Amino acid sequence: KAGVTQTPRYLIKTRGQQVTLSCSPISGHRSVSWYQQTPGQGLQFLFEYFSETQRNKGNFPGRFSGRQFSNSRSEMNVSTLELGDSALYLCASSAGTAVRYEQYFGPGTRLTVT
Amino acid sequence: KQEVTQIPAALSVPEGENLVLNCSFTDSAIYNLQWFRQDPGKGLTSLLLIQSSQREQTSGRLNASLDKSSGRSTLYIAASQPGDSATYLCAAYGGSQGNLIFGKGTKLSVKP
């Protein structure tokens, strides 16, 4: 089985721009979660989608949004980028809601905001 | 609010040593606890998942234990190898927040 894939792997954007990141889960997985990883804050939860519905959302401003499509692929969007948004963005998929199922992570998208 | 702490932040050992990584969490109402490995600049690789009803899980040279009552989990690595060098993260799922809460990780270096 192919693992979780994320595109693009690297992005450089300018302050004020917006960006869209994509995540394709493992085949058959219906839950996708997004995390932001920075050296200072570590890994922080952004949101979780299951069957196209947002189940849970972390403590991030409304500039961060996401969606999930009927094929379970997910996108996250960050509008009006700030320097502090520079981070590794990771998505994880699981067979069901993350309560009981192992989460499998993709390689991440490295976003640099200049 | 769930908080996950990993001590030590960094650890250096000679090859062949058995070692223990520690993880503590503040809210014992967790559904599961998962250990991950992260290599520099890479994503996370799942190592072991322990459900709240379980006390331990084993995979090869790795053994993870869970003690909900004391809010602790340990990852035991037997006969460490240089290839084990990475950052090890634990994450607790559940409590009041309903999502994975990660520790800051333990950076392990195994010297040949």
Side-chain angles (χ1 to χ4, degrees):
Chain A
K1 256 186 187 178
V4 179
T5 58
Q6 292 186 246
T7 57
R9 293 293 310 281
Y10 302 92
L11 265 179
I12 300 176
K13 291 286 188 178
T14 305
R15 266 185 308 176
Q17 289 185 316
Q18 76 165 20
V19 67
T20 299
L21 312 181
S22 180
C23 172
S24 293
I26 292 171
S27 178
H29 284 192
R30 295 167 64 191
S31 172
V32 173
S33 299
W34 288 90
Y35 295 83
Q36 180 195 66
Q37 186 177 33
T38 58
Q41 298 298 318
L43 272 149
Q44 293 184 286
F45 171 76
L46 282 158
F47 24 66
E48 179 193 5
Y49 286 88
F50 181 79
S51 294
E52 301 180 66
T53 301
Q54 186 180 89
R55 289 191 67 248
N56 207 352
K57 188 177 191 302
N59 190 25
F60 278 81
R63 301 185 295 107
F64 291 81
S65 63
R67 58 178 176 168
Q68 186 180 33
F69 302 95
S70 58
N71 62 359
S72 294
R73 189 178 70 85
S74 178
E75 288 181 347
M76 69 163 278
N77 184 77
V78 188
S79 62
T80 319
L81 284 165
E82 301 177 359
L83 295 179
D85 297 334
S86 294
L88 181 65
Y89 289 88
L90 295 162
C91 86
S93 77
S94 63
T97 58
V99 172
R100 299 195 185 286
Y101 293 89
E102 196 166 355
Q103 292 208 32
Y104 297 88
F105 281 76
T109 294
R110 172 75 62 184
L111 172 64
T112 301
V113 182
T114 62
Chain B
K1 180 184 172 186
Q2 178 75 276
E3 292 183 5
V4 178
T5 304
Q6 292 185 249
I7 295 173
L11 182 63
S12 182
V13 300
E15 182 178 3
E17 265 203 14
N18 301 325
L19 58 102
V20 174
L21 305 181
N22 296 297
C23 171
S24 62
F25 47 94
T26 55
D27 187 344
S28 62
I30 61 170
Y31 293 113
N32 60 49
L33 188 136
Q34 199 166 349
W35 282 92
F36 297 90
R37 166 188 173 138
Q38 186 173 32
D39 293 284
K42 302 285 180 66
L44 276 63
T45 300
S46 177
L47 298 173
L48 290 163
L49 169 69
I50 313 176
Q51 300 290 357
S52 62
S53 58
Q54 299 173 318
R55 295 299 298 266
E56 66 178 283
Q57 281 284 352
T58 298
S59 176
R61 294 183 294 110
L62 305 179
N63 175 277
S65 67
L66 175 64
D67 184 344
K68 284 178 57 179
S69 62
S70 66
R72 291 183 181 180
S73 177
T74 60
L75 178 67
Y76 175 82
I77 302 177
S80 58
Q81 304 170 357
D84 294 331
S85 298
T87 296
Y88 290 80
L89 295 142
C90 72
Y93 189 94
S96 60
Q97 288 145 282
N99 54 265
L100 271 180
I101 304 296
F102 282 85
K104 293 286 179 71
T106 294
K107 186 174 183 179
L108 174 65
S109 176
V110 181
K111 308 290 188 186

